[in-house]
Amino acid sequence: MSTTAENKELLRGGQFLVKETAANDIFTPEDFSEEQKMMRDSVKEFVDREIWPKKEEFEKKNYALTEEVMRKAGEMGLLGVAVPEEYDGLGMGFVTTMLVCDYISGATGSVATAFGAHTGIGTMPITLYGTEEQKKKYVPKLATGEWFGAYCLTEPGAGSDANSGKTKAVLSEDGKNYIINGQKMWISNAGFADVFIVFARIEDDKYITGFIVENDSENGITFGEEEKKLGIHSSSTRQVFFNDTKVPVENMLSERGNGFKIAMNALNVGRIKLAAASLDAQRRVIDQAVKYANDRVQFKTPIAKFGAIKSKLAEMATSAFAGESASYRAGKNIEERIALRMEAGNSHQEAELKSVEEYAIECSILKVAVSEDIQNCADEGIQIFGGMGFSADTPMESAWRDARIARIYEGTNEINRMLAIGMLVKKAMKGHVDLLGPAQAVGEELMGIPSFDTPDYSKVLSEEKAMVAKLKKVLLMVAGSAVKKYGPELEEHQQLLLASADILIEIYMAESAILRAEKNHKRDNSDADYQVAMAQLYLYHAVEIVNQKAKEGIISFAEGDEQKAMLMGLKRWTKYDNFPNIVQLRNKIAEKVTAENTYPF
């Protein structure tokens, strides 16, 4: 177990809302070990050699190229980074698996999707839920790239409602096989997969069941044509049809009726990995945008010198910085939780499953925030390129199209927003996160007389940390009052859930950026002043969003004196004592980015 885990209290998932986190207790990208830096550089070199120069080819629906790149990634061991060594993987920790996913995914969404589908939902369910025999048979081939995996969950009538699938599995008369009949759609890697994780319902079971199914055209498995898609053009995406497909009974994955649990836990891992996969895409968009802005001269001046462009570059860099900060903060929490569970006697399988499940709230937060940031980043990238950005001859157009899918898969962002709040409320009811005590304290403070003392904000980021603490009170006030009013029926009030989720997301992302900047400022990191500026800029926007979303909720469910009191509380808890100079912050960040001619953080 890491010393970090020994020396600090490891917060449970969701507890960031009610417990203060010290800057030294979080993990940041500046904390990567030498081994992790070597792995990162190796992946970057692979991408710059094998993927980035062929970007145009990936836009021409060259599925064979994606398969070829995946085989090369397998030869380098990159497909087995999360697989234990006894199954021919590298057995790396959770943070390193995120790191590889991050840097291999930035050049094109086609490879990002193929890699994510294979290593995550294609391989991981067998690694974490398979019997020893299943793992020995399938995982080494998947870890080395000898075989490729795909995941068959979605059906024409079963998307967000994953458990409503109609695919059937019927036990054969001799009891040796399950006979599977049904149709799956939007299956990534379908065109070159050797093994499928297939979900089907046995009889009238309440929950679906998972099966490991080998691809065999003589066993009733057929495919639709490649889907015509907005983006990820060279990611093979096809329908898969099962017609009396025989699957040996020993290929059932986990227990009967456990498929929904497998699917949900696979999605939790998929969500944090999807956030990671959107990070290097942002870095590369920023790199291309700043290089163009430095080279493009208008009115006898490089456009990078204009305030309008500085604003865009600063905001793009700030979002990328916050995304990195939050993603690796949560990734390390998961890794440390795995270490604690293994020390307590859990198997690796159980430790990883339970640890990722513990941080399901953070996984949903990250999926939403970073997938939306890469879309905004690519959109601004097009704008910086101007007319050229709209041309398919420049990389911005494909980056924008590829980014669009990230808000849909691994559960739509709307589903994930509602899940984040729903899971938080459930954790509170189970006693895993004490929301009741802090919510009552906030209610009492709301009715009390506010303090008029002048706080001491002499320490770097002290006012920003105080502001985050106040934003947490806003969420406790709004969500606490909504739960009190609607109780179990709260889940029917989706717009209130969405508003609360946006507040929760902004709190986590802003706090992560602030803690990273503070930690690096304390250790005199050379970029610390710029990181402080980005943390301040991100928080300013977060406060505005929290104010808007909280007000929307309050005026929609509260009335009379209660509404007035809550609006006064909102005003109190979103008020700066000292406003940051936004233009100055943006200029400082942009000048660093343009001077380095890259995303330098």
Side-chain angles (χ1 to χ4, degrees), residues 47 50-52 54-59 65-66 69 103-115 231-235 277 280-281 284 398-399 402-403 409:
V47 171
E50 299 290 346
I51 304 175
W52 187 255
K54 301 167 188 172
K55 194 162 171 60
E56 203 173 314
E57 273 302 300
F58 285 106
E59 294 313 304
L65 178 58
T66 298
V69 165
Y103 282 90
I104 205 167
S105 301
T108 168
S110 298
V111 171
T113 299
F115 180 86
I232 54 172
H233 279 174
S234 287
S235 162
D280 197 50
R284 286 180 182 266
S398 61
D402 282 356
Y409 59 25

Side-chain angles (χ1 to χ4, degrees), residues 187 203 228 337 416:
I187 307 306
E203 296 172 353
K228 298 179 177 70
R337 181 69 64 182
N416 274 285

Side-chain angles (χ1 to χ4, degrees), residues 3 29 34 36 66 77 113 208 237 272 286 330 339 383 487 493 512 581:
T3 25
E34 287 307 311
Q36 286 169 331
T66 298
T113 299
I208 51 180
T237 313
I272 191 169
I286 295 166
Q383 200 69 13
H493 297 269
S512 299
N581 184 327

Side-chain angles (χ1 to χ4, degrees), residues 42-81:
S42 173
V43 175
K44 283 171 72 174
E45 190 272 331
F46 173 76
V47 171
D48 288 336
R49 183 183 72 243
E50 299 290 346
I51 304 175
W52 187 255
K54 301 167 188 172
K55 194 162 171 60
E56 203 173 314
E57 273 302 300
F58 285 106
E59 294 313 304
K60 295 176 181 174
K61 303 183 180 179
N62 190 336
Y63 306 108
L65 178 58
T66 298
E67 186 177 352
E68 178 191 324
V69 165
M70 287 287 287
R71 292 215 182 276
K72 288 177 179 175
E75 288 163 13
M76 284 184 66
L78 300 179
L79 301 183
V81 67

Side-chain angles (χ1 to χ4, degrees), residues 109-167:
S110 298
V111 171
T113 299
F115 180 86
H118 172 79
T119 57
I121 50 183
T123 303
M124 187 194 59
I126 305 176
T127 311
L128 297 183
Y129 284 97
T131 62
E132 192 58 32
E133 293 71 25
Q134 288 170 344
K135 286 188 286 189
K136 282 179 178 172
K137 182 176 180 180
Y138 294 107
V139 175
K141 290 180 178 179
L142 292 166
T144 56
E146 181 185 343
W147 276 16
F148 292 117
Y151 180 84
C152 299
L153 176 63
T154 304
E155 298 183 15
S160 297
D161 185 5
N163 194 50
S164 65
K166 301 288 189 287
T167 297

Side-chain angles (χ1 to χ4, degrees), residues 569-586:
L570 176 62
K571 189 175 180 181
R572 187 197 309 177
W573 291 325
T574 53
K575 182 187 172 188
Y576 274 94
D577 283 296
N578 304 285
F579 277 109
N581 184 327
I582 297 305
V583 170
Q584 199 175 72
L585 291 175
R586 286 193 189 121

Side-chain angles (χ1 to χ4, degrees), residues 407-465:
R407 286 155 57 196
I408 297 170
Y409 59 25
E410 308 292 0
T412 66
N413 283 11
E414 290 71 28
I415 289 284
N416 274 285
R417 278 181 162 91
M418 290 187 285
L419 273 175
I421 291 294
M423 289 185 288
L424 186 62
V425 170
K426 280 179 187 167
K427 274 185 167 255
M429 288 175 173
K430 287 180 181 175
H432 294 175
V433 178
D434 177 18
L435 289 185
L436 190 60
Q440 281 178 340
V442 166
E444 287 163 14
E445 187 178 344
L446 189 62
M447 305 316 293
I449 299 167
S451 166
F452 295 102
D453 295 342
T454 306
D456 176 12
Y457 290 141
S458 54
K459 285 187 180 175
V460 170
L461 291 171
S462 54
E463 181 166 4
E464 287 72 20
K465 289 171 73 176

Side-chain angles (χ1 to χ4, degrees), residues 33-303:
S33 66
E34 287 307 311
E35 182 186 49
Q36 286 169 331
K37 288 175 188 172
M38 284 172 63
M39 179 65 83
R40 176 194 64 194
D41 294 344
S42 173
V43 175
K44 283 171 72 174
E45 190 272 331
F46 173 76
V47 171
D48 288 336
R49 183 183 72 243
E50 299 290 346
I51 304 175
W52 187 255
K54 301 167 188 172
K55 194 162 171 60
E56 203 173 314
E57 273 302 300
F58 285 106
E59 294 313 304
K60 295 176 181 174
K61 303 183 180 179
N62 190 336
Y63 306 108
L65 178 58
T66 298
E67 186 177 352
E68 178 191 324
V69 165
M70 287 287 287
R71 292 215 182 276
K72 288 177 179 175
E75 288 163 13
M76 284 184 66
L78 300 179
L79 301 183
V81 67
V83 172
E85 291 179 65
E86 58 263 42
Y87 307 111
D88 293 352
L90 298 181
M92 297 286 190
F94 197 85
V95 170
T96 307
T97 71
M98 280 181 62
L99 189 64
V100 171
C101 184
D102 174 349
Y103 282 90
I104 205 167
S105 301
T108 168
S110 298
V111 171
T113 299
F115 180 86
H118 172 79
T119 57
I121 50 183
T123 303
M124 187 194 59
I126 305 176
T127 311
L128 297 183
Y129 284 97
T131 62
E132 192 58 32
E133 293 71 25
Q134 288 170 344
K135 286 188 286 189
K136 282 179 178 172
K137 182 176 180 180
Y138 294 107
V139 175
K141 290 180 178 179
L142 292 166
T144 56
E146 181 185 343
W147 276 16
F148 292 117
Y151 180 84
C152 299
L153 176 63
T154 304
E155 298 183 15
S160 297
D161 185 5
N163 194 50
S164 65
K166 301 288 189 287
T167 297
K168 284 287 190 183
V170 178
L171 190 62
S172 61
E173 286 185 15
D174 61 10
K176 292 182 179 177
N177 296 288
Y178 279 97
I179 313 299
I180 294 184
N181 283 282
Q183 169 188 2
K184 300 290 182 177
M185 68 188 300
W186 309 123
I187 307 306
S188 298
N189 295 355
F192 58 87
D194 302 279
V195 62
F196 300 101
I197 308 295
V198 181
F199 294 91
R201 193 177 311 278
I202 301 171
E203 296 172 353
D204 293 321
D205 287 0
K206 182 179 180 182
Y207 294 111
I208 51 180
T209 297
F211 296 90
I212 304 168
V213 182
E214 293 180 28
N215 186 7
D216 181 358
S217 58
E218 295 181 8
N219 190 20
I221 300 176
T222 55
F223 301 91
E225 293 296 313
E226 288 286 355
E227 298 287 353
K228 298 179 177 70
K229 307 187 295 293
L230 172 69
I232 54 172
H233 279 174
S234 287
S235 162
S236 175
T237 313
R238 303 169 80 165
Q239 291 192 58
V240 184
F241 301 92
F242 300 96
N243 185 18
D244 290 340
T245 301
K246 289 182 181 177
V247 184
V249 290
E250 58 268 24
N251 274 29
M252 180 186 287
L253 189 58
S254 188
E255 301 160 10
R256 176 172 172 171
N258 219 20
F260 186 64
K261 183 185 271 191
I262 295 171
M264 291 305 99
N265 281 328
L267 286 172
N268 286 333
V269 180
R271 283 162 185 155
I272 191 169
K273 294 286 179 73
L274 178 59
S278 300
L279 293 174
D280 197 50
Q282 288 183 76
R283 295 187 201 102
R284 286 180 182 266
V285 166
I286 295 166
D287 281 359
Q288 295 299 305
V290 70
K291 285 175 173 58
Y292 185 84
N294 275 329
D295 291 343
R296 175 70 168 164
V297 174
Q298 291 289 277
F299 309 105
K300 299 181 182 177
T301 308
I303 66 170

